Amino acid sequence: MARAYPLTDLVKLVRAYGVLAGTSDMERVIAGTLSREWIAKEVERLVPLSSLPRRLFDTQRGRDLLAAELFAKQDIDPETIKPEALDARITGSGRMINTNRLPKLEPIIHQAVLAANMLLGVRLYGSHGRGTRSMSHDLIVATMLQDSYGKLHRYSAFSSHDHEVVDDTYVFTWFGDSVGKLVVTVAEYLAAFNEAVESRIPIPDPPSPEIGTAIAAIQASRLRLVARAAGDQVISFMDREQRQELEAVGVDCDADFPERPLLEKHYELTVKAFKLPGVDHYALREPLRNTLLMAVRDALDDPAKRERLSGRRGKAVHEVHINLPVMEYFVVSEAPNSIEAVHVASLEMMRSLEKGRRKSLSSMAAHAFRISAIAERVLGRALEPLIVTLAMLHDVVEDGSMRVTGYGHSLRKIQFRFGGPIAAMVSELTDSSVHSAGANKANLTLKQPHLLLPQAQYNVGRFTDMTVKATEAEVPYTLAGIVIKLLDTVVSLEEGIRDPELMSGHWRHSGARIYWAERDRGAIVSPLVERLLIELKASQADPKYSTRPHHVNAVRLRAGLAIVETILMYQDMYATQNLAILANEFGLDSVERETLISLFNDRNVNAEQFSERVLQGLLNDQRLLDNIEAGELPCIGFTTLYAKDATLESPRNEETFIAYRNSALRRQEIRRELAIDTAEKLTALTLRQEQVLRMFDRTLSCQRDKQKNLLDENRSASLADTGSGHREHGEDNQRLVASGR
């Protein structure tokens, strides 16, 4: 396959991340593929502490949560907490808990991250510390792809009908012959190994010691995921619908130790995989045998010891991670722009954000992987390991904080693990407690006479004496920070486009979505796009641009143009969906919706005409009130034309919506200024927008069908109850007549 840039080890790794995000984010070792209803329950939101299942507080994670919430000012041992004695405090605390602090089943993506880092440890430190160079990066990528093999890739197309299958053709096309052959070899031997263990027949020898080591890493990483679920006792406090899904795949949720059968199965598979000839001892077998296997064996012998598998110091989690050779020996600050740094960053992200679920379908890991995949597609030759490392770490501090996930991550911990420069770059991307800091930082970046390269700004060779704090408003973004901030926005927009029905409350409606796109994230993105625009135009207009002291090279300039084009495209698609949501809130039909979208994007329609034809015409308040009364909209503050806390007596607030339209018109101007408004590109954008509308209509239709079915079921149940009542009343009368009364 002809490629515009080399198929390097980094490109293959990042493409593997993208495939994992698209195929395995809804997969769990214990549950298999989860339903969208299950995922929707895991979406990040705030819930009262008093609403959490009481069974949760009997677990170690639950006691940790109570210690942090009810005894925050005391250095209390969570083991001494007696939840039954705290009912009054739990009920009356009024505390709100982020659901990302609650234990959940981990996605299969985490297994791929673990296996990759295990094998990287073998490559660097196997063979008694000498390193095993025959453990190639291609084999590591092939091992990561095992759980994606044969599955649909949801990010390969907008429509589920057009999703590609990650089959032989796909793998060979996108990863090359070497990875493709290894994927097939590992998959075939893995199937033969599992079949032999299950059938109690002799296990065939692996094709090579490296393949045997890969199988051991796969089995051990799966065992780690099951062990954490067992330690957290997640199944014990699941609701009825989740239990039904698990029971459908053979899990006995009512058992005292429901994870035990799977824990036994994966323990046996791991033990036998470790006995395969050629499996590395020093970097794989020994560190895992003395942590994970020993702790699981203890839990199987004595179920009371399963809590040791979990928690901040859990033997199946913390000890496994810190004892992996890449965590124990590899010094990222000595090679910050390396593929090894990317792997270590993925492990740090996974272990810090394992409970995190975004407001869309995506887990935290899949979000970071998707950013990496789009970075590879957009940046091309400009892709560097440092950019991918930042994609892995950009949310770790912000979403790994005590209040969000309970992990208690910090920039100081990033600095200790990855060095000062990477910590400083992560700090650029970490939201400050001051809401306006990001926008101020972006506006300062816009005013800079030149773009700042991270290597020059932070001196990547430094490790100590570097101060880091979140989003320093007085310091402009570096070029790397701009890239990740924009690509992060692209993925967030994409998540909103693909999965709007999984969002809850305000986030399902035009008010929150348009405010976020324009006033929140838009206040950061717009200045950064304008700054890239200045640089791109300068490079085109000034023949001596390449001799400037702070010029950007041609490869990065092409990448910058691709980033601008990509962010504009996704902003336009998101705006199209938001207009469809707004049209639905006002009860517009398909023709009226098309008119709304057309007038919104027509630069020949001035502000006065837009107000008359759209704000006063199509978006008529009476239609909105009718829809609220019909239950289509929870309250008037959910729509973009009213403030969030508005009541029926409140006046309109059209400023954000008007600014949102002006931003859309500005995007058209930017396309013209960069000459990316060709007929071909505009036609492609129009087709994508039409796909977004079709997806939205299908989703809306499905939702209404579900609501109708639910109403019909409730009505039938009500009639059945009424009929039962009539029968009972008639039987009572017959008994009274028979008795002579």
Side-chain angles (χ1 to χ4, degrees), residues 42-45 61 97-104 352-359 364 399 403-407:
E42 293 189 346
V43 165
E44 180 185 18
R45 62 190 184 281
R61 293 283 189 113
I97 304 298
N98 191 310
T99 54
N100 280 343
R101 294 171 68 180
L102 307 179
K104 306 174 184 74
S352 306
L353 304 180
E354 51 92 9
K355 295 177 289 184
R357 302 290 182 270
R358 292 172 60 78
K359 291 183 177 68
M364 294 295 186
D399 291 321
R403 298 304 307 169
V404 180
T405 60
Y407 191 86

Side-chain angles (χ1 to χ4, degrees), residues 554-576:
V555 172
R556 285 176 173 158
L557 285 171
R558 283 196 297 272
L561 178 61
I563 289 173
V564 170
E565 187 174 356
T566 301
I567 185 71
L568 297 183
M569 178 182 67
Y570 275 91
Q571 285 179 312
D572 280 335
M573 288 193 292
Y574 192 66
T576 298

Side-chain angles (χ1 to χ4, degrees), residues 451 479 482 486 528-536 560 564:
L451 292 171
L479 183 55
I482 293 173
L486 293 180
L528 298 183
V529 169
E530 295 289 353
R531 184 62 194 82
L532 289 181
L533 176 64
I534 290 171
E535 202 71 23
L536 290 166
V564 170

Side-chain angles (χ1 to χ4, degrees), residues 33-51:
T33 302
L34 299 181
S35 67
R36 291 174 71 86
E37 288 75 18
W38 181 312
I39 296 293
K41 293 176 183 178
E42 293 189 346
V43 165
E44 180 185 18
R45 62 190 184 281
L46 294 176
V47 297
L49 176 66
S50 58
S51 71

Side-chain angles (χ1 to χ4, degrees), residues 583 588-599 618 693:
L588 305 189
D589 61 30
S590 59
V591 174
E592 291 170 322
R593 183 178 76 180
E594 186 177 342
T595 303
L596 169 65
I597 294 172
S598 175
L599 294 173
L618 290 171
L693 291 175

Side-chain angles (χ1 to χ4, degrees), residues 21 37 49 135 269 300 302 341 354 359 395 406 420 448 464 485 501 512 516 554-555 598 676 684 708:
E37 288 75 18
L49 176 66
M135 179 56 67
L269 287 168
L300 291 173
D302 182 1
E354 51 92 9
K359 291 183 177 68
D395 278 336
Q448 295 304 300
T464 57
K485 206 70 180 178
E501 84 281 9
W516 174 82
V555 172
S598 175
I676 54 175
K708 182 179 181 299

Side-chain angles (χ1 to χ4, degrees), residues 496-569:
I497 292 168
R498 288 181 180 276
D499 305 298
E501 84 281 9
L502 290 183
M503 297 185 179
S504 59
H506 284 270
W507 286 102
R508 294 187 72 159
H509 297 278
S510 65
R513 291 166 64 95
I514 290 177
Y515 186 90
W516 174 82
E518 180 61 31
R519 304 293 194 190
D520 191 336
R521 186 60 66 89
I524 300 172
V525 167
S526 293
L528 298 183
V529 169
E530 295 289 353
R531 184 62 194 82
L532 289 181
L533 176 64
I534 290 171
E535 202 71 23
L536 290 166
K537 291 171 69 176
S539 70
Q540 295 168 358
D542 183 1
K544 296 183 179 180
Y545 173 82
S546 61
T547 64
R548 290 183 181 183
H550 300 284
H551 75 279
V552 178
N553 66 40
V555 172
R556 285 176 173 158
L557 285 171
R558 283 196 297 272
L561 178 61
I563 289 173
V564 170
E565 187 174 356
T566 301
I567 185 71
L568 297 183
M569 178 182 67

